[in-house]
């Protein structure tokens, strides 16, 4: 799911955050890429947020949330058949590449460039692509650690992750997965089927124990998009490229620029609320370039604030990220 939208939902009914709290949230957002899932209705399953112990601020969310979305709408790109053709070419190009499975104690290092100007109090105004904010983060393969470079101090911050932290744990201990951890991550991506139809069946069948309703196409698009943000096995990457065009509503968008200006073709999905998420792929190397969310049509803001003028206008960029470096390293801080 999209981390920015998780913040939007979490803010509903809350008093404005302090500057210190916003800085803490902003540090997290700068290190994580968003996948663009829409904000669900309140009756849908709760988001699984990363929470610091004692801090009532949502810092990020898992993409594999199992939150049902409405049927995807047609995008503005070429017909779905072209997305399938592009996916087939991409799959053929990557499936034979070499791959060394990481150890559980190794880390995924990710360097990103994110469109700046996000304000959680006026999120519907979008982000400013003319401003780029860098981000660096490390996540341990077994899910037991997370690190990032603070945007304020420039120092490396390393967090320990526990599913059930004790009351005496340090504030550096994060209660990572409220409602349970994601089913599929770097630690077990290799167990997923390499057949695209089997992969889709597996993802559609997954439900969290507290989930309300069925897993929908938007959920599956988000899960596949997040997989591509990691150094996954080539056989799985090929399956993802073939599976994405099979999701109802996915279209191909040509000549989409990521945050640093690289041009790619994108698998795009427009959800029932009108938010379009793009997964941008280099058409020559089939490397994952980045992702972002924009308003495909005018989206009135519901809930807080009760302002009839609060509308995410069509074309507004709500988040935009470029992935510059993604690789396996041995420790946080290593690049």
């Amino acid at each position: 799911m999209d981390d920015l939208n998780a913040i939007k939902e979490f803010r509903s009914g809350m008093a404005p955050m302090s500057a210190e709290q916003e800085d803490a949230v902003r540090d997290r957002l700068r290190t994580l890429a968003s996948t663009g899932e829409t904000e669900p209705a309140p009756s849908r399953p709760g988001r699984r947020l990363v929470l610091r112990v004692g801090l009532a601020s949502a810092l990020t969310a898992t993409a594999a949330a199992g939150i049902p979305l409405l049927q995807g709408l047609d995008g503005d790109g070429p017909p779905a058949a072209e997305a399938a053709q592009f996916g087939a070419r991409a799959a053929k190009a990557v499936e034979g590449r070499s791959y060394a499975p990481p150890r559980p104690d190794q880390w995924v290092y990710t360097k990103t460039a994110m469109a700046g100007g996000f304000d959680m109090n006026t999120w519907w105004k979008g982000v400013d692509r003319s401003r780029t904010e860098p981000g660096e983060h490390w996540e341990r393969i077994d899910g037991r650690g997370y690190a990032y470079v603070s945007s304020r101090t420039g120092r490396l911050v390393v967090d320990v992750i526990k599913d059930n932290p004790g009351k005496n744990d340090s504030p550096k201990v994060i209660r990572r997965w409220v409602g349970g951890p994601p089913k599929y991550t770097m630690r077990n991506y290799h167990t997923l089927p390499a057949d695209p139809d089997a992969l889709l069946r597996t993802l559609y069948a997954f439900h969290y124990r507290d989930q309300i309703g069925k897993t929908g196409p938007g959920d599956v698009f988000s899960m596949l998009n997040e997989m591509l943000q990691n150094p996954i096995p080539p056989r799985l990457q090929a399956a993802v490229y073939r599976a994405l065009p099979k999701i109802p509503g996915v279209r191909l968008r040509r000549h989409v620029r990521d945050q640093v200006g690289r041009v790619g073709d994108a698998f795009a999905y427009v959800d029932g609320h009108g938010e379009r998420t793009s997964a941008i792929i280099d058409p020559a190397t089939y490397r994952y370039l980045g992702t972002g969310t924009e308003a495909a049509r005018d989206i009135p803001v519901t809930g807080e604030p009760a302002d009839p003028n609060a509308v995410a206008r069509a074309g507004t960029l709500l988040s935009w990220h470029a992935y510059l470096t993604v690789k396996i390293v041995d420790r946080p801080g290593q690049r």
Side-chain angles (χ1 to χ4, degrees), residues 80-90 245 254:
E82 291 202 25
Q85 292 168 3
F86 179 75
R89 291 196 301 272
R254 301 284 192 184

Side-chain angles (χ1 to χ4, degrees), residues 51-54 159-160 168-174:
L51 301 178
R52 289 189 183 277
V53 175
D159 293 329
V160 177
N168 295 322
D169 277 327
S170 159
K172 290 296 181 184
V173 175
I174 295 176

Side-chain angles (χ1 to χ4, degrees), residues 2-241:
D2 181 75
D3 302 297
L4 305 181
N5 285 316
I7 295 295
K8 294 180 224 166
E9 179 177 296
F10 188 79
R11 274 190 45 78
S12 181
M14 287 178 57
M17 290 184 179
S18 68
E20 181 179 353
Q21 287 175 321
E22 288 202 14
D23 281 344
V25 173
R26 190 173 292 109
D27 273 334
R28 274 296 205 207
L29 292 175
R30 281 172 176 163
T31 63
L32 296 177
S34 104
T35 57
E37 193 75 11
T38 187
E39 183 176 358
S43 60
R44 291 172 182 159
R47 295 190 181 274
R48 291 154 181 83
L49 303 173
V50 176
L51 301 178
R52 289 189 183 277
V53 175
L55 174 62
S57 301
L59 297 180
T60 187
T62 162
I67 295 180
L69 298 178
L70 301 180
Q71 177 72 22
L73 305 177
D74 286 347
D76 62 356
E82 291 202 25
Q85 292 168 3
F86 179 75
R89 291 196 301 272
K92 186 175 181 180
V94 304
E95 58 191 352
R97 294 177 180 174
S98 60
Y99 178 77
R103 302 188 312 268
D105 63 340
Q106 288 185 299
W107 299 67
V108 178
Y109 165 63
T110 304
K111 182 178 181 180
T112 62
M114 175 174 127
F118 173 74
D119 184 341
M120 65 188 67
N121 295 302
T122 55
W123 62 265
W124 60 89
K125 295 183 179 180
V127 294
D128 181 1
R129 287 195 65 179
S130 69
R131 296 169 53 189
T132 298
E133 298 177 354
E136 291 183 284
H137 73 272
W138 294 257
E139 187 154 8
R140 195 167 139 139
I141 297 296
D142 62 6
R144 293 293 143 191
Y146 184 87
Y148 63 98
V149 174
S150 170
S151 61
R152 290 184 297 122
T153 67
R155 295 179 179 178
L156 180 69
V157 179
V158 182
D159 293 329
V160 177
I161 295 173
K162 291 184 179 181
D163 292 334
N164 297 294
K167 63 181 180 180
N168 295 322
D169 277 327
S170 159
K172 290 296 181 184
V173 175
I174 295 176
R175 183 173 183 174
R176 180 63 189 273
W177 307 117
V178 178
K183 175 73 170 180
Y184 301 108
T185 64
M186 277 294 297
R187 75 179 186 279
N188 62 358
Y189 277 150
H190 64 280
T191 66
L192 287 167
D195 176 79
D197 293 316
L199 176 61
L200 289 172
R201 286 194 298 270
T202 299
L203 298 182
Y204 274 109
F206 175 64
H207 297 81
Y208 282 90
R209 62 177 179 266
D210 60 346
Q211 180 173 327
I212 301 171
K214 294 181 179 180
T215 298
D219 309 314
V220 176
F221 183 90
S222 290
M223 287 187 248
L224 295 176
N225 192 17
E226 181 170 333
M227 288 180 197
L228 293 175
Q229 296 164 16
N230 290 282
I232 58 177
R235 56 182 282 278
L236 178 59
Q237 186 178 5
V240 171
Y241 283 148

Side-chain angles (χ1 to χ4, degrees), residues 278-292:
S278 297
I280 311 169
I281 312 298
D282 187 313
T285 65
Y286 301 105
R287 175 188 175 189
Y288 184 86
L289 297 181
T291 189

Side-chain angles (χ1 to χ4, degrees), residues 268-316:
Y269 176 86
V270 182
D271 66 32
H273 293 272
E275 291 187 21
R276 178 191 292 110
T277 300
S278 297
I280 311 169
I281 312 298
D282 187 313
T285 65
Y286 301 105
R287 175 188 175 189
Y288 184 86
L289 297 181
T291 189
T293 306
E294 61 194 306
R297 60 173 181 264
D298 286 357
I299 305 172
V301 177
T302 58
E304 183 194 357
D307 180 355
N309 297 317
V311 177
R313 298 297 180 187
T316 300

